[in-house]
Amino acid sequence: MRIVIVIILGILLTFGWLKQEEKYVSNDEIIYAETGFTPDISSVNDLESRSCTDQLNYIPDPEFPNHMPSRQVKVNFHFMYDKNGKNNIAKKNAPEYIEGLLWNLNNRIKKNVKMHLPLNNSNPALYPGYQYVLSPDPKRPNDTGIYYHYDDDLYWFVNKGKTRNDYDKRAFEKYGVLKDEVLNVFVMPHHPDSIASKTYRNQLCGIAFPSQNWTKIAGSYATLKDTLIKNGKPFIRSGWFCHGVYNHELGHVLGLHHTWGGNDGCDDTPNHTNCYSAGQGKGNCRENWSNNVMDYNTHQNSWSPCQIGLVQRNFANKKSSQRKILIPTWCKLDDENPVMIEKNIVWNGARDLESHIIIQPGRTLTINCRVSLPSMAQIIVKQGATLILDGATIENDCGDQWDGIKVWGRGKNKGKVVMLNGAQLANNRVSFKS
């Protein structure tokens, strides 16, 4: 009996009757539906919030991290000195300081702490989905991404009084490197004359210029001078001490605003009195302190879901200044880690993916916004699965071509592709070839 079964299976395989058919979808196989089309499935995510500009549609789903890959933000650092090379961290110590600083910045982002305000909130502490990467200028021999400038007129920072220069842009205009491609960070000392005054606060502070992708940070040297001298391995600790101010000012460059007053664009960051630290102060400040990175507090270690959505929306916006300072990791295909659609999913925000998309049998992926796929990436719609492109554009954003859409199965069990509301397949290689 077993021999007979084996023979029958062999015959079926020979004639291809059991072979899983896989082919690129052809133009006459795509379903061009009218507006208001409703898929014939029992459970689809909420289709009401469809805006491609709503930051809430860019909040990462921790269950599916590669549906919104982590972004890499390019940064460089400029140490400003007087003409004698004084009044800032010693040049020989600067690289180690930056190494420790970047480790601490990125580690704090990875370890996003639950928000303290509003009290007793249920907001999840999600991974913000970005990291900072030191980025040298490839056109400069032996460049490290760390620069040293000696300028009596521009090395200093003053944020009050007649000589106030916190909004002065001349240092960036004169010394900025890859201004349109890298976030430039200027590490500056407070002016010695200001520090000598009893009324001037010698503290860590900074200011950001989001539209130009740069920031200046003051006080690292003066505040940490004793620490740098007294400790054998001081720089990791120094990076820890400064991380809050740096993440705060860089957060402004990424599009975030102060949360304690006015409207920062997020409902999950309540207005408050900007209390500085947990358990310190009087009255309301003993409980109503903030740990949000965009407040003035000693913690600055929390990003709200909406704030994360704002940053990710800016990264996905092809016209934003923030997108210009990203390493375009979505241009190179990661063939080993496809985006697996294993339940019915709706994507309402734009995405830049790094791999293939595979829709598992019987599942539906609905795409309502722009999606960029790397060169040679495919969308695979397995048997009984459905891909719905509702006003979406599928493209390659790197001047290349993504491969196309493949459907699996035969007859009524064949994967389906539905396009409506002006959906487009742009610069794809073979999507309309039968």
Side-chain angles (χ1 to χ4, degrees):
M1 183 65 181
R2 288 183 179 178
I3 296 176
V4 174
I5 293 174
V6 170
I7 293 173
I8 293 173
L9 288 174
I11 294 172
L12 292 174
L13 288 171
T14 300
F15 285 96
W17 293 336
L18 292 184
K19 184 180 179 181
Q20 174 62 61
E21 185 175 90
E22 305 172 16
K23 60 178 293 188
Y24 291 100
V25 69
S26 62
N27 190 45
D28 58 1
E29 291 173 310
I30 294 176
I31 302 170
Y32 292 93
E34 299 294 331
T35 301
F37 168 81
T38 302
D40 184 21
I41 55 176
S42 58
S43 60
V44 176
N45 293 355
D46 179 19
L47 291 175
E48 294 181 2
S49 179
R50 304 164 60 86
S51 173
C52 299
T53 60
D54 186 343
Q55 59 265 26
L56 299 183
N57 291 330
Y58 292 84
I59 298 174
D61 186 339
E63 186 179 356
F64 306 110
N66 71 340
H67 289 200
M68 191 174 288
S70 181
R71 306 275 74 118
Q72 298 180 31
V73 182
K74 296 180 287 185
V75 294
N76 61 33
F77 292 86
H78 302 258
F79 287 87
M80 301 294 294
Y81 302 90
D82 65 19
K83 66 180 181 180
N84 297 316
K86 304 296 184 181
N87 293 308
N88 209 333
I89 297 170
K91 181 178 178 179
K92 65 178 182 179
N93 294 333
E96 191 173 356
Y97 174 81
I98 293 302
E99 180 184 0
L101 175 65
L102 280 173
W103 187 91
N104 278 280
L105 294 181
N106 288 330
N107 191 51
R108 288 286 172 163
I109 296 170
K110 290 178 182 177
K111 293 185 175 181
N112 184 17
V113 173
K114 181 176 172 53
M115 296 171 59
H116 183 69
L117 295 180
L119 294 175
N120 303 314
N121 73 82
S122 59
N123 294 326
L126 304 172
Y127 171 49
Y130 64 92
Q131 296 279 275
Y132 295 111
V133 179
L134 186 62
S135 299
D137 184 347
K139 296 181 180 179
R140 298 187 180 199
N142 303 314
D143 192 58
T144 65
I146 304 174
Y147 310 100
Y148 310 92
H149 311 296
Y150 307 91
D151 192 317
D152 278 353
D153 295 325
L154 300 178
Y155 81 92
W156 46 274
F157 181 100
V158 174
N159 61 357
K160 62 179 293 186
K162 293 181 180 180
T163 57
R164 178 174 181 171
N165 74 339
D166 46 357
Y167 284 94
D168 191 330
K169 301 180 180 180
R170 288 179 296 164
F172 174 70
E173 292 168 350
K174 185 174 182 178
Y175 297 116
V177 176
L178 297 174
K179 297 178 184 178
D180 294 330
E181 304 172 36
V182 179
L183 198 167
N184 283 236
V185 182
F186 282 75
V187 184
M188 311 175 78
H190 292 282
H191 197 286
D193 292 344
S194 297
I195 294 174
S197 171
K198 294 182 180 179
T199 61
Y200 188 88
R201 296 188 66 186
N202 179 15
Q203 62 182 353
L204 277 164
C205 59
I207 191 165
F209 302 84
S211 64
Q212 295 179 307
N213 286 325
W214 75 285
T215 182
K216 55 174 74 172
I217 308 290
S220 296
Y221 166 74
T223 307
L224 299 173
K225 185 160 53 174
D226 292 339
T227 303
L228 290 169
I229 292 172
K230 292 179 181 178
N231 292 281
K233 288 286 289 181
F235 300 107
I236 294 295
R237 180 178 175 185
S238 300
W240 173 85
F241 187 82
C242 297
H243 73 83
V245 170
Y246 277 90
N247 265 332
H248 177 101
E249 297 303 335
L250 297 177
H252 280 311
V253 176
L254 300 185
L256 298 179
H257 305 280
H258 295 146
T259 70
W260 64 82
N263 180 10
D264 70 336
C266 287
D267 292 336
D268 59 8
T269 55
N271 291 348
H272 56 88
T273 53
N274 206 21
C275 303
Y276 185 70
S277 182
Q280 297 182 4
K282 300 179 181 179
N284 287 336
C285 277
R286 295 199 62 82
E287 289 293 334
N288 293 291
W289 49 271
S290 172
N291 62 343
N292 193 275
V293 68
M294 298 313 298
D295 293 335
Y296 292 158
N297 61 74
T298 190
H299 313 286
Q300 292 182 311
N301 56 10
S302 178
W303 288 254
S304 79
C306 176
Q307 286 176 313
I308 296 170
L310 275 170
V311 171
Q312 292 297 329
R313 182 192 67 183
N314 290 337
F315 288 161
N317 181 355
K318 294 174 66 172
K319 296 181 179 180
S320 74
S321 60
Q322 291 84 7
R323 188 176 178 85
K324 296 178 182 178
I325 57 175
L326 298 180
I327 297 175
T329 54
W330 55 88
C331 290
K332 183 178 180 181
L333 177 64
D334 178 1
D335 206 29
E336 302 297 322
N337 299 288
V339 174
M340 304 297 294
I341 305 300
E342 299 178 318
K343 66 178 186 179
N344 298 327
I345 294 288
V346 176
W347 288 345
N348 286 315
R351 295 162 192 266
D352 298 281
L353 301 180
E354 301 174 0
S355 56
H356 306 291
I357 300 174
I358 300 176
I359 309 174
Q360 296 288 51
R363 301 306 181 187
T364 295
L365 172 62
T366 302
I367 303 177
N368 294 324
C369 300
R370 181 189 65 82
V371 169
S372 176
L373 295 175
S375 175
M376 301 309 295
Q378 298 177 349
I379 301 178
I380 296 174
V381 187
K382 290 190 175 182
Q383 59 271 27
T386 303
L387 171 65
I388 301 174
L389 304 178
D390 190 352
T393 295
I394 312 299
E395 64 173 5
N396 173 275
D397 185 51
C398 308
D400 209 329
Q401 291 181 315
W402 62 284
D403 194 41
I405 302 173
K406 274 188 175 179
V407 292
W408 288 19
R410 295 172 178 274
K412 294 182 178 180
N413 197 40
K414 189 175 184 179
K416 295 182 178 63
V417 179
V418 180
M419 296 179 64
L420 65 156
N421 292 323
Q424 299 181 46
L425 302 176
N427 57 343
N428 50 300
R429 189 173 69 90
V430 290
S431 283
F432 290 110
K433 291 184 179 180
S434 58

